[in-house]
Each structure stands twice: as structure tokens, then as C-alpha cells.
Amino acid sequence: MELPTPETSVPENIKERLAASYDAIAASYNAWTAQHSGLRLHYVDKLLQLLPPLPSPVNDSAPSGRSGSGGSGSGDPTAASDSAPVPMTHLVELGCGAGVPVTRALLEFPDTPAGRGRRVHVTANDLSATQVALGREGVRPRAGSHDQIEWVAGDMMDLSFAAGSLDAVVALYSVIHLPREEQGVLLERVARWLKPGGIVLANFSVEDTPGEVMDRWLGEEKGWMFWSGFGVDKTLEVVTRKAGLEVVLSEVSKNEDGVDAEFLWVIARAPESPDS
């Protein structure tokens, strides 16, 4: 894997350039991701195992206050199971790409032993409109299920959810594309969006860098990429002190399947109460 070269200043129009790049290299990136998915699914499984148990059944609906449009799904989100409706588990993925493998794993959570009895509403967001279109076409709820998925193209910094409305947020290889000053702001927002005891999974740069650029990532002529990060210690400080989240797991792991890169993987929990 070609390593990025440091830049002395943060480039202009980062979001526009990243969106255009992921649009252009979508096919190559998705093929590459299909061969490098083991580690991210390992951590997603850890997150799903840590979700709080289901509360007493009540009527529920999709998370409110979200910016964006373009939902698709099947089933009635308020349909009853037996004598009472099952509460909806609200999951959000920031940087979903075409939805494989993580969005699909979130949507299939009710098929697993840990997720049995749940219904899920997945909001899948990506900066690339091309990737979102591919995801909308290729990743769908099971026929006849009450699970739902909503695809939202655009900058994750433009998203908004009601406070205390989400069970979990997943952001893999996506927060690193934000300028550093936005990363802390996003984590503060995520902490507000989560229900008490809700979980966030994200990975971050192990290097303290205001910005690094690669012109031809994956060998693609249009594969311009940007990364930034605070490094391990400062990132954990942002997660705990700035965002007020409780770290459940933090470890530095190499990227998937022999790729020569390291990331800080963090699973953190929203406090059970404001005073905890």
C-alpha cells in the first residue's frame, strides 16, 4: 500500500475533492474493500455485542431530526410482533461506501444470536453520491422484514439527529478524512445523538498530523486522498474529555489482511446518565 506524503497545509476544497475521488474510483475501491474486510467486521461484531439490551416494548420510529433524504426500505416500522411492538434499534454508519460489508452486517444484525428479537433502522451516509447509489441498489432489507435502511449522500458534518435517539454509530476509515478541527466536533455531536449507554465505534490515525495527501491512492489516477489525525493520546483525550464518552476498548491494530498501515480502534459508550 502506497504511503501518503505529508503536506505543509490543509488543501482547499477537501470534501469536494474527496467526493469526486471516491465517485471516480468506486469500482476499484469496492473491489479492494471486498478483499480487506476482516478487521472491520471483527470490530463491528464487538460493537454489536455491546449494545444495551432491548427495553420494554413500546412504539418506536426512525430517528428524527436527520438532514438528508433518499430512504428506502420495506415493512411497517410500527408493526407488532406477537402482542406488542418490538422497539427499533437505530444504527448509523458514517462513511458507508457501497454498504459492503459493514452496512449489510448492521442490517443483518437481527439474524444473529446477539440481535435476535431486534428490528433495526440503519442510516447509511457517505460523501460519495456514486457509492450511495451503488449501496441503495445492492444492499436491501430482507423481503418481508420490518428492518429499514435509509441512504444519505453528503458530508457527515451536515447530518443531524435528535439527542438520545441512536443506539450505535459506526465510522470506519471515514473520520480520518475530516480536517482535525472537525473530528472533535463530530465526536461531541455523536455523544449527544447516542442514547444513554449507546455505543460508538470508530478508527483514527495513529499519527499526529494536520493533513496528509496521496495523489494516486490504490494506483488510481483520480484517487486523490486526504487524511488527518491527532495521534493516539490526543484522540483518546478528545473522545473522553471533549466528547464525554467512556472508552470501552482502545487498541492499535494493523489494517486488514496484511496491508501495511496502523489505526487506533476505539469503542466508546455514552454515559448511562448525565452524572455518571
Side-chain angles (χ1 to χ4, degrees):
M1 180 178 180
E2 182 185 0
L3 296 177
T5 56
E7 291 263 328
T8 57
S9 62
V10 176
E12 295 182 0
N13 303 319
I14 293 171
K15 307 293 178 66
E16 292 86 349
R17 295 182 70 177
L18 283 169
S21 179
Y22 273 115
D23 284 347
I25 69 170
S28 297
Y29 174 75
N30 294 339
W32 181 86
T33 299
Q35 302 299 316
H36 301 85
S37 296
L39 194 59
R40 68 189 76 191
L41 287 175
H42 166 75
Y43 284 106
V44 168
D45 182 65
K46 285 181 176 290
L47 170 130
L48 293 175
Q49 297 288 336
L50 288 167
L51 282 176
L54 286 171
S56 301
V58 293
N59 284 324
D60 205 355
S61 60
S64 61
R66 179 206 33 80
S67 298
S69 61
S72 63
S74 64
D76 178 0
T78 61
S81 174
D82 295 327
S83 60
V86 177
M88 190 74 81
T89 297
H90 299 146
L91 309 172
V92 170
E93 184 182 5
L94 305 175
C96 63
V100 180
V102 174
T103 315
R104 179 171 290 165
L106 298 178
L107 197 61
E108 295 176 349
F109 180 45
D111 295 331
T112 69
R116 188 170 293 122
R118 290 183 185 265
R119 298 180 305 145
V120 297
H121 182 286
V122 178
T123 300
N125 160 254
D126 199 87
L127 189 62
S128 165
T130 297
Q131 291 283 40
V132 167
L134 290 171
R136 186 180 286 116
E137 178 63 26
V139 180
R140 299 173 182 269
R142 299 160 298 158
S145 77
H146 299 303
D147 305 326
Q148 297 179 314
I149 183 166
E150 184 166 10
W151 298 91
V152 183
D155 186 354
M156 67 181 76
M157 296 300 293
D158 292 335
L159 296 175
S160 179
F161 297 92
S165 65
L166 304 180
D167 292 274
V169 174
V170 179
L172 301 185
Y173 307 102
S174 57
V175 176
I176 56 175
H177 288 313
L178 296 175
R180 287 198 307 188
E181 61 271 17
E182 292 186 357
Q183 294 183 22
V185 173
L186 177 72
L187 287 169
E188 286 185 294
R189 293 177 183 175
V190 167
R192 290 196 301 271
W193 298 339
L194 288 172
K195 297 176 182 178
I199 306 291
V200 58
L201 162 66
N203 59 356
F204 303 90
S205 172
V206 299
E207 303 295 334
D208 182 357
T209 175
E212 296 181 357
V213 163
M214 183 186 297
D215 290 323
R216 295 171 60 95
W217 188 54
L218 298 181
E220 292 286 333
E221 182 178 354
K222 296 183 178 180
W224 186 91
M225 284 293 137
F226 169 84
W227 295 269
S228 73
F230 290 109
V232 174
D233 292 341
K234 181 63 180 295
T235 296
L236 292 175
E237 182 178 336
V238 171
V239 170
T240 56
R241 295 188 180 182
K242 184 176 180 65
L245 296 164
E246 302 168 355
V247 173
V248 176
L249 175 150
S250 66
E251 55 193 30
V252 174
S253 295
K254 286 189 176 296
N255 204 345
E256 295 126 314
D257 301 325
V259 175
D260 186 19
E262 290 184 328
F263 292 90
L264 170 66
W265 296 78
V266 175
I267 297 178
R269 178 183 287 117
E272 293 289 349
S273 67
D275 298 328
S276 62

